[in-house]
Amino acid sequence: MAGMGAKAAVAWLVSVAPDPGACRREWERNPQGMALLPAGKRWDVLIVPSELGYPTLDVLTRLVDRPGPVLADFGEARMGFFVPPGTAARWVGTGIRGVGRGTWIVVPRPGSTVGGVRWLIPPDGSGTLTDATLLELALHEAAAVRGTRGEGG
């Protein structure tokens, strides 16, 4: 059974929905269901190719006790890092897509895997996000390490 964490995580996620109640009921009816939620209110999402995303997440978890929520999707091809609102508008990075105000993102219920989309780090309900500067440092370090292994492009 999901504990308080999942409840708080659901509450935090649905708080940005146009109709939070409907969103929550949908997830209760169908735990495998997806919610389409607007970015730019409580968080933006930076979409990173997973070959860079996984090493970045390794670096992040060394730097901080708990990074913000991270989604993996599309057969693990991409990862989404939840960052403070406004980050997407300022972000300049090759191959990294910012999802911010005016855009929507498909989100599974915390604790569920849906059609290849799953939480690598689920939200904890407290509103913890990954600091954009920290994420940038982690991305650079991950890219550098990857480059030294003779891969990269």
Side-chain angles (χ1 to χ4, degrees):
M1 235 6 241
M4 263 321 289
K7 261 199 173 61
V10 167
W12 180 73
L13 284 167
V14 303
S15 68
V16 300
D19 183 347
C23 184
R24 185 185 273 111
R25 282 192 300 278
E26 187 51 48
W27 268 341
E28 279 163 9
R29 236 196 341 267
N30 177 13
Q32 297 297 298
M34 285 289 199
L36 193 58
L37 297 174
K41 288 187 174 182
R42 284 184 178 236
W43 32 261
D44 284 359
V45 183
L46 292 176
I47 312 279
V48 179
S50 55
E51 64 271 13
L52 181 57
Y54 280 103
T56 299
L57 188 53
D58 288 343
V59 175
L60 265 181
T61 47
R62 285 204 312 271
L63 296 173
V64 287
D65 288 340
R66 186 169 165 69
V70 182
L71 275 175
D73 66 346
F74 308 111
E76 311 285 300
R78 296 198 302 227
M79 289 164 67
F81 290 84
F82 281 57
V83 292
T87 303
R90 293 191 306 269
W91 193 269
V92 183
T94 321
I96 295 170
R97 201 161 61 84
V99 179
R101 186 176 292 288
T103 51
W104 295 69
I105 189 158
V106 172
V107 178
R109 184 173 180 263
S112 311
T113 302
V114 189
V117 182
R118 66 190 179 94
W119 291 104
L120 291 175
I121 298 183
D124 59 6
S126 72
T128 302
L129 297 165
T130 295
D131 177 74
T133 311
L134 205 59
L135 180 58
E136 194 168 4
L137 282 171
L139 279 162
H140 283 303
E141 187 173 320
V145 169
R146 227 175 107 227
T148 59
R149 289 201 191 119
E151 319 159 9

